Amino acid sequence: MPVPEHEPESYSFDEMMDRLKQHSSDAADDGKLITRSDGSKVLRVRKRKRRTKQPAKEERIKSRRNRIIQLSAILAIILLLILGGGIALINVNGTSFRKDLIGKIAVSTGASVDLRQFRMNPKTANAGQVSLEWPDGNVLKNLTMYGVNAEVFPSSFLGDTMAGEEFTASTGILALQIPTLGQPTKNTQSSVAELPIQFKCYRISQLNLTIGSTQNTMLSLSKSECSLYPSSSGIATQLRMSQGELTIPGCPKLHLERALIEVKGDEAQIIGMRLSQSGDKSGSFELSGPLSPYEPERLSTLAVELHSYEINALGFPSLTTFINGRVDSLPSATSNTLSFLPTSAPKVTLEAAFQNSADSAITLQGLPFLSNLSTVLKATWFKQPKFNANARGVLLRENNAVTLHDLDLESKGRMAITGTISIAADQTLSGELHVGIPEVLIDESKSLRLKATFGPASEGYCWVTLTLGGSVPAPKDNFKDLFSDAVIAPLDQPKPEGSTGSSFEELTRPK
């Protein structure tokens, strides 16, 4: 170890003694000279404590103290929250909160409210049943929901508003009615700036809906999923429906595929409603347009669009007795509408211009003249002729009567038919058909009476006009009478010996 520069390399004896005395003097200043019992002397020096500052150690102590304080505060807050939550749960499941909630629902819906088996936890509000009932002036009559579950925000426990993400019910029964003019639309007339019940979506997994009274049900929908999205940020209230079986008296059963309806005040706009015949996934019947349920004198007219839809599903089920086939909408300025008045007697009118779908033909059947032509022309095709070349017409249904008019059916080289077929509400059949047969087929039949029955050739066909009558179960036409009364030259077709006349039965009797 090197010697410091201020220290000499060697000491004399006297210097060493002086240094010892000096150290002894310094130690005496800091200590106390004590004489022991044996006479020896010793210097008692007071033990010194370290006074040097240690920042790292002090910081650790301070940090530990802060953590203890923070942990204590957190534990205190948790205890307060648990205590407050317990008090809040007791409160929201009490009679006072339940009555207050019923009042909030009444203000938000305008209906009288029946709330059963209500319970609430920190995340959801639940009820076994919620029933709402509106006065006669409202289009809504009553709604009963079962298995109600609502995801609520924490503010719903203490605030004036119950709000959350989604309000759901497992099943619901909704009855709509024709509103009575002059009657109130709400049971609670109080107006508030902000509704006390606010959810982003209201959903019913299985909704059963009816329109009309118990004695006169105009429409019923079963097992449909329904969602209501309240208006927000300028977007109108939206009602979305998916699936469900639709029943309308006098019509085949229908399947609701989907529907989107926007509600603004007392007006509703069907953005799109897609229907299909029950059990038929190939065709569709679409509706769109405005509804005004609170204006009974105002005709509601919806646009109609058909896609590969069975034509007999548009009218009476008995229409299938005479005509079959899938049709598409044919653009028309005056047709393709469904019109009705929003009253207990709606007077529904459906008018649809149609043409056969690309993959389907329109088949005519069941009319007596078809069987007669098949016999005279000796071709079974005429019993059920198929028309697949731009076969078209207009279907008009007014309440329980249906008419096919402006028919234009043609099978090149075989037959053409134009005219009208009508079925009244009492199933009476009427109408007039112009039937054309190619002249070459008439000549091949070698029946002069048939040639006399049809007129001269025009547009490639010889024509005859037939009048329809009878009823759907027993249809009639005048083809036999025209055939029997046709005037032919006696020499062209001599009367069979012993015959009293040239009836249709005689001329078509097998030889």
Side-chain angles (χ1 to χ4, degrees):
M1 180 176 178
V3 179
E5 294 180 359
H6 61 276
E7 292 287 341
E9 294 183 1
S10 61
Y11 297 92
S12 66
F13 179 79
D14 293 334
E15 288 175 340
M16 290 176 64
M17 293 302 293
D18 291 338
R19 287 178 65 84
L20 288 173
K21 289 178 180 179
Q22 183 179 354
H23 282 296
S24 183
S25 175
D26 293 339
D29 294 338
D30 296 333
K32 182 179 181 182
L33 188 63
I34 298 174
T35 303
R36 294 177 176 170
S37 59
D38 59 357
S40 61
K41 294 182 179 181
V42 65
L43 184 66
R44 178 179 289 177
V45 180
R46 185 173 57 186
K47 191 174 181 179
R48 295 182 178 180
K49 295 182 180 180
R50 290 184 68 179
R51 301 297 184 185
T52 307
K53 291 185 178 181
Q54 302 181 49
K57 184 176 181 181
E58 292 178 358
E59 184 65 28
R60 286 196 300 270
I61 295 172
K62 182 179 179 180
S63 177
R64 185 182 304 163
R65 184 169 57 251
N66 290 338
R67 285 199 299 270
I68 292 172
I69 294 173
Q70 291 172 357
L71 181 60
S72 300
I74 292 172
L75 290 174
I77 292 173
I78 291 174
L79 290 173
L80 287 174
L81 288 176
I82 293 174
L83 181 60
I87 295 173
L89 282 176
I90 294 172
N91 176 58
V92 298
N93 287 283
T95 304
S96 177
F97 185 88
R98 182 177 177 275
K99 289 183 178 179
D100 183 54
L101 178 60
I102 290 175
K104 291 178 181 178
I105 298 174
V107 171
S108 298
T109 62
S112 59
V113 183
D114 182 15
L115 181 64
R116 300 183 183 181
Q117 300 175 356
F118 176 76
R119 58 203 179 279
M120 198 166 177
N121 58 51
K123 187 178 180 181
T124 62
N126 305 274
Q129 177 181 329
V130 178
S131 298
L132 308 175
E133 187 168 353
W134 289 267
D136 293 339
N138 201 309
V139 70
L140 301 171
K141 184 177 182 180
N142 54 62
L143 171 63
T144 302
M145 297 173 286
Y146 300 94
V148 174
N149 178 282
E151 300 176 6
V152 296
F153 297 144
S155 59
S156 301
F157 286 84
L158 302 174
D160 295 330
T161 302
M162 175 171 280
E165 288 291 335
E166 189 175 60
F167 177 101
T168 62
S170 58
T171 58
I173 301 173
L174 174 62
L176 304 180
Q177 62 186 350
I178 304 301
T180 303
L181 295 180
Q183 295 296 316
T185 60
K186 297 180 180 181
N187 284 318
T188 304
Q189 300 297 331
S190 61
S191 58
V192 292
E194 187 177 68
L195 294 179
I197 302 293
Q198 295 183 13
F199 288 90
K200 295 181 180 180
C201 175
Y202 300 83
R203 189 188 310 277
I204 300 177
S205 299
Q206 279 199 352
L207 175 69
N208 296 326
L209 178 149
T210 59
I211 299 178
S213 62
T214 306
Q215 298 77 18
N216 181 26
T217 301
M218 295 182 286
L219 178 149
S220 64
L221 176 66
S222 62
K223 298 180 180 179
S224 179
E225 182 180 349
C226 178
S227 300
L228 179 69
Y229 295 84
S231 60
S232 62
S233 303
I235 300 176
T237 298
Q238 290 188 346
L239 177 64
R240 300 178 187 178
M241 307 180 77
S242 175
Q243 306 304 311
E245 300 303 318
L246 186 66
T247 302
I248 302 174
C251 291
K253 285 191 174 182
L254 300 172
H255 177 73
L256 172 67
E257 294 185 17
R258 63 177 183 269
L260 174 60
I261 302 173
E262 289 189 350
V263 181
K264 295 180 180 179
D266 293 340
E267 298 287 328
Q269 179 77 24
I270 299 178
I271 305 301
M273 179 180 290
R274 185 182 178 95
L275 305 170
S276 61
Q277 192 175 0
S278 185
D280 178 16
K281 297 182 179 180
S282 300
S284 65
F285 179 97
E286 296 192 20
L287 297 170
S288 61
L291 295 174
S292 303
Y294 293 98
E295 299 182 43
E297 73 286 351
R298 179 180 173 183
L299 190 68
S300 293
T301 301
L302 306 178
V304 172
E305 190 171 350
L306 308 174
H307 299 280
S308 192
Y309 199 72
E310 285 282 359
I311 187 172
N312 53 64
L314 298 171
F316 286 122
S318 55
L319 190 61
T320 187
T321 304
F322 305 116
I323 192 167
N324 281 295
R326 295 184 178 275
V327 296
D328 298 330
S329 292
L330 189 65
S332 172
T334 57
S335 300
N336 302 328
T337 59
L338 176 67
S339 303
F340 59 92
L341 291 172
T343 64
S344 56
K347 298 181 180 179
V348 180
T349 300
L350 169 64
E351 189 167 15
F354 63 85
Q355 63 181 359
N356 66 294
S357 300
D359 58 348
S360 176
I362 290 181
T363 301
L364 203 62
Q365 60 192 21
L367 295 170
F369 79 91
L370 296 174
S371 182
N372 296 337
L373 283 175
S374 175
T375 302
V376 176
L377 297 174
K378 299 179 176 61
T380 57
W381 181 88
F382 287 93
K383 284 187 177 181
Q384 289 184 324
K386 297 181 182 296
F387 306 94
N388 53 13
N390 296 322
R392 60 186 63 195
V394 179
L395 182 144
L396 175 63
R397 175 166 180 171
E398 296 178 295
N399 289 332
N400 292 323
V402 63
T403 298
L404 295 172
H405 63 88
D406 293 337
L407 284 173
D408 188 359
L409 314 176
E410 183 178 11
S411 178
K412 289 289 186 180
R414 285 182 170 178
M415 175 183 276
I417 296 178
T418 62
T420 300
I421 301 175
S422 296
I423 301 174
D426 60 358
Q427 300 290 281
T428 301
L429 179 66
S430 62
E432 186 176 84
L433 294 178
H434 307 287
V435 180
I437 302 294
E439 188 173 15
V440 63
L441 291 183
I442 294 178
D443 291 339
E444 288 176 357
S445 72
K446 297 180 180 180
S447 171
L448 297 179
R449 189 169 294 278
L450 181 64
K451 189 170 185 178
T453 301
F454 285 80
S458 173
E459 299 178 359
Y461 295 95
C462 296
W463 297 88
V464 64
T465 299
L466 304 178
T467 301
L468 304 181
S471 63
V472 171
K476 296 179 181 179
D477 60 56
N478 62 338
F479 180 80
K480 274 188 180 183
D481 296 335
L482 294 176
F483 187 89
S484 299
D485 295 342
V487 178
I488 58 173
L491 296 178
D492 291 340
Q493 185 169 341
K495 185 190 306 181
E497 187 175 352
S499 173
T500 57
S502 300
S503 68
F504 176 83
E505 287 78 5
E506 292 175 341
L507 292 171
T508 57
R509 184 183 299 127
K511 296 181 180 180

